Amino acid sequence: MSDHSEYSERDVLREVSALEGKSATAARLFDIRRIIGGLFVIYGVIVTIAGLTDDDAAIDKAEGVNINLWTGLGMLLLGLFFLTWLKLRPIAPPPDATAGDEAKD
């Protein structure tokens, strides 16, 4: 006899649902909104700092506009938008197919 005969259908379903939970966690972790938002926030901070430390020659070169400051602030806002969107509308977990099967038992 093999060792696999000891596992019941309930054990298999429990293992499958645990793996589905891990998969959903990985999907939330690597959500593209988190990656894009995080990168825009990081780059926005860097460019904003560069804009705050620009000298008059750099501003005159851009015809009087502190382009680094405005671009950095725009990048910060876009990054915060993506992160807020992620927080307000998270990925919905997949419907639990095993819950319906257990209810029938």
Side-chain angles (χ1 to χ4, degrees):
M1 247 190 205
S2 70
D3 291 332
H4 298 294
S5 63
E6 297 174 12
Y7 296 114
S8 70
E9 185 176 343
R10 186 174 299 266
D11 293 333
V12 172
L13 289 175
R14 189 178 312 119
E15 186 69 26
V16 167
S17 61
L19 288 173
E20 285 175 347
K22 290 178 183 178
S23 175
T25 301
R28 281 192 300 274
L29 180 63
F30 294 109
D31 188 359
I32 193 72
R33 296 174 293 180
R34 177 173 305 199
I35 295 168
I36 291 173
L39 285 175
F40 267 101
V41 167
I42 291 169
Y43 291 142
V45 168
I46 293 168
V47 174
T48 301
I49 291 171
L52 291 172
T53 60
D54 274 347
D55 57 352
D56 290 335
I59 294 173
D60 290 339
K61 188 176 180 180
E63 297 186 11
V65 177
N66 193 343
I67 194 71
N68 285 334
L69 179 64
W70 290 110
T71 303
L73 291 174
M75 292 172 79
L76 274 171
L77 288 175
L78 183 63
L80 291 174
F81 167 75
F82 272 96
L83 294 176
T84 303
W85 179 22
L86 176 69
K87 187 73 172 172
L88 295 177
R89 304 272 306 196
I91 294 176
D96 191 15
T98 59
D101 293 340
E102 289 177 3
K104 294 177 184 176
D105 289 341

